[in-house]
Amino acid sequence: MVAVEQYLKPELAAQIKRLDLRAQMVVRGFMQGLHASPFHGFSVEFSEHRRYAPGDDPKDLDWVAYAKTGKYYIKKFESETNLTGYLAIDLSQSMDYTYRQKLTKLDYSICLAAALCYLMVQQQDPVGLVTFDTALRASVPPRSRRSQLPAILSQLTKLKVAGQTDLAGSLTQLAAMLRHRSLVMLFSDLLSDEDTMLKSLRNLRHAGHDIIIFHVLDEAEVSFPFEGMVQLRDPETGATEPVRAADAAEEYRKAIQAFRTRLAKEFSESRIDYVPLDTSLPYDKALMEYLLNRRNRF
């Protein structure tokens, strides 16, 4: 447990401790489950390795890794592993939504971001934080030292939704900030203009940055569990529309599935990693995508 009291006001320390503890529990539980999964043998211990491929120099084989796994690994050079991470969190009003889950989309994103921050700090990877609505807001510059964890957790506990969002404009601002090749981990419901959002993400990718998108929706936004007459409200504009749930349910589910499928196709073509999530799902799926992306990046 990182000693957070020296960095925070006393009234924030308890909140940070709870978030820190939750992040540790998520990561440790995930790593324990990993050993019983088809990915047995791959853990933080081997995150600095990649599988041997034809053309690699056999002199670079790690025989200790081979003895433990029975597979051929090559330890990455420092230049291959020095990738700076940015946790980028959407603070738009729509992220405050929840129907029957305990966590809003923002709460879920904060917990997942905390777990990823904990994991990156443990692996000595530089990690920073940016938040945005219509523009970039709070930011913590990336660092790899252990004091980075409480610095980022301090910001995460203070986050609140703000209003409307300009995802494309915020990503353009972020791209202008990045001086070196970086890994951008985006947490958003992606409820923004689709064309401009895709264009800004492609530009970020074409600039040489790696991107993982954690597309966080509320469980009700995916399953549409409503009954009777319901009043649908746009959380950012306040506009409402009454609908009969039985009439809208099938069409809505098809539309949300088509939205996710379309995004998955667009991101795949741009070599952007896409992780569709909803707030009923455990964090294991997102952490697995992060680790697999990190392992296969080079």
Side-chain angles (χ1 to χ4, degrees), residues 153-199:
L153 296 186
S154 172
Q155 287 295 326
L156 290 176
T157 61
K158 300 174 187 175
L159 297 186
K160 298 183 184 300
V161 295
Q164 295 188 4
T165 188
D166 180 1
L167 180 53
S170 298
L171 289 170
T172 299
Q173 282 186 277
L174 176 59
M177 281 177 50
L178 304 180
R179 295 289 178 262
H180 307 286
R181 183 184 175 212
S182 300
L183 168 63
V184 177
M185 294 162 280
L186 175 65
F187 305 81
S188 175
D189 54 16
L190 302 182
L191 298 180
S192 182
D193 180 77
E194 192 172 330
D195 290 338
T196 58
M197 172 190 69
L198 290 171
K199 181 179 178 180

Side-chain angles (χ1 to χ4, degrees), residues 86-95 106 129-139 159-174 177 184-192 197 200-201 213-214 236:
Y86 283 86
L87 305 161
I89 300 181
D90 184 353
L91 298 183
S92 59
Q93 186 67 41
S94 62
M95 293 290 287
L106 179 59
L129 170 71
V130 294
T131 61
F132 63 90
D133 43 59
T134 55
L136 294 187
R137 301 302 177 190
S139 67
L159 297 186
K160 298 183 184 300
V161 295
Q164 295 188 4
T165 188
D166 180 1
L167 180 53
S170 298
L171 289 170
T172 299
Q173 282 186 277
L174 176 59
M177 281 177 50
V184 177
M185 294 162 280
L186 175 65
F187 305 81
S188 175
D189 54 16
L190 302 182
L191 298 180
S192 182
M197 172 190 69
S200 62
L201 285 166
I213 297 176
F214 297 105
E236 296 186 18

Side-chain angles (χ1 to χ4, degrees), residues 178-244:
L178 304 180
R179 295 289 178 262
H180 307 286
R181 183 184 175 212
S182 300
L183 168 63
V184 177
M185 294 162 280
L186 175 65
F187 305 81
S188 175
D189 54 16
L190 302 182
L191 298 180
S192 182
D193 180 77
E194 192 172 330
D195 290 338
T196 58
M197 172 190 69
L198 290 171
K199 181 179 178 180
S200 62
L201 285 166
R202 289 191 197 103
N203 289 340
L204 192 62
R205 183 71 185 95
H206 291 162
H209 305 294
D210 289 304
I211 306 170
I212 302 178
I213 297 176
F214 297 105
H215 186 193
V216 181
L217 295 176
D218 185 76
E219 174 261 343
E221 291 177 315
V222 176
S223 64
F224 201 85
F226 309 109
E227 297 179 350
M229 290 297 298
V230 293
Q231 196 85 354
L232 301 183
R233 181 177 67 87
D234 186 315
E236 296 186 18
T237 66
T240 61
E241 181 179 354
V243 299
R244 188 183 302 275

